[in-house]
């Protein structure tokens, strides 16, 4: 990895949905940059444990915490556990998210509520808890020039409409205004709030879109850079965005998408 080692030394981070996919890559990147990392998972402790073992073998510090981020009491219990073990929080990465796809006319209220509950309400609940601690503690200049950093993992679908995924696209569009409104409100307290909007990244959530050569060829027509992203592409940006090297960035969305948001259909027409 190219960013300097120990950029996040002494900092305590929580990554929701940190036991697989993009979340796992973020956990590993933050740990590599010197942060102590709490890995939140919902239902696969064995994945979280494997990551813990790797981080500890690398002389890093990590813990795993089970919680459903859409439930207020579980989120509060997760933060309490983190404070008990790590004392405080410096970096929150709101990452836990899912898709429940359906044609709009067939989309059930349950599919809608599940996606909004985790992708949007979950981000709200975790951001609010972290922000309370940032405000309570304030800036510790030997740790970071910010009182705290919140990173929202959004999606290109915060700007690209997505037929068949109305619940998901609505949750990601909502994240954009939640992130910017919190950033506006908390910037005076030296809290930085930003988003990373990944494009197509090779994880289980979109496996059918890249796991066969035919599917991948079709997907690449949407990506000017002609490469499907890897989870590490996001991990590296998250570590940098959590560090003081990005100290003047606040309320921004960084698209990490190989150009997917550049309207590739217009490359030769229009
Ligand atoms: C979705 C993926 C999709 C990608 C690009 C992501 O937010 O979770 O399923 O491949 O956007 O469309």
């Amino acid at each position: 990895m190219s960013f300097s080692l120990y950029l996040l030394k002494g900092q305590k981070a929580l990554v929701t949905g940190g036991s697989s996919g993009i979340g796992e890559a973020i956990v590993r990147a933050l740990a590599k940059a010197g942060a102590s990392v709490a890995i939140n998972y919902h239902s696969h402790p064995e994945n979280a444990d494997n990551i813990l073992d790797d981080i500890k073998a690398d002389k890093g510090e990590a813990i795993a915490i089970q919680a459903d981020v859409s439930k207020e009491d579980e989120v509060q219990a997760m933060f309490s556990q983190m404070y008990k073990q790590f004392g405080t929080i410096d970096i929150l990465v709101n990452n836990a998210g899912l898709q429940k796809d359906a044609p709009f006319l067939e989309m059930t209220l349950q599919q809608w509520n599940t996606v909004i509950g985790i992708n949007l309400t979950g981000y709200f609940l975790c951001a609010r808890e972290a922000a309370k601690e940032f405000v309570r503690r304030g800036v510790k200049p030997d740790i970071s020039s910010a009182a705290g950093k919140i990173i929202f993992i959004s999606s290109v679908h915060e700007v690209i409409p997505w037929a068949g995924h109305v619940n998901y696209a609505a949750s990601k569009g909502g994240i954009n205004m939640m992130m910017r409104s919190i950033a506006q409100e908390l910037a005076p307290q030296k809290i930085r709030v930003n988003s990373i909007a990944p494009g197509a990244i090779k994880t289980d959530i979109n496996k059918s879109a890249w796991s066969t050569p035919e599917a991948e060829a079709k997907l690449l027509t949407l990506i000017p850079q002609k490469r499907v992203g890897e989870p590490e592409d996001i991990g590296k940006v998250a570590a940098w965005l959590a560090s003081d090297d990005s100290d003047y960035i606040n309320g921004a969305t960084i698209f990490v998408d190989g150009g997917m948001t550049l309207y590739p259909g217009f490359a030769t027409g229009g």
Side-chain angles (χ1 to χ4, degrees), residues 99 155-157 162 168 198-200 205-206 260:
Q99 291 180 214
S155 163
V156 290
H157 298 295
W162 205 12
Y168 184 82
I205 207 171
N206 59 358
M260 194 176 234

Side-chain angles (χ1 to χ4, degrees), residues 32-33 37 44 66 70 121 162 169 174 177 201 224 232 241 258 263:
K32 194 151 198 166
V37 188
H44 289 289
Q66 198 280 334
S70 69
T121 308
W162 205 12
M177 285 310 287
I201 306 294
E232 292 69 29
L241 196 52
Y263 296 96

Side-chain angles (χ1 to χ4, degrees), residues 72 75-76 79 83 89 92 124-134:
E72 188 173 32
V75 167
Q76 284 169 345
F79 277 81
Y83 300 153
I89 183 169
L92 167 68
F124 156 69
L125 290 171
C126 293
R128 190 186 57 177
E129 289 312 305
K132 281 184 200 164
E133 172 65 4
F134 298 158

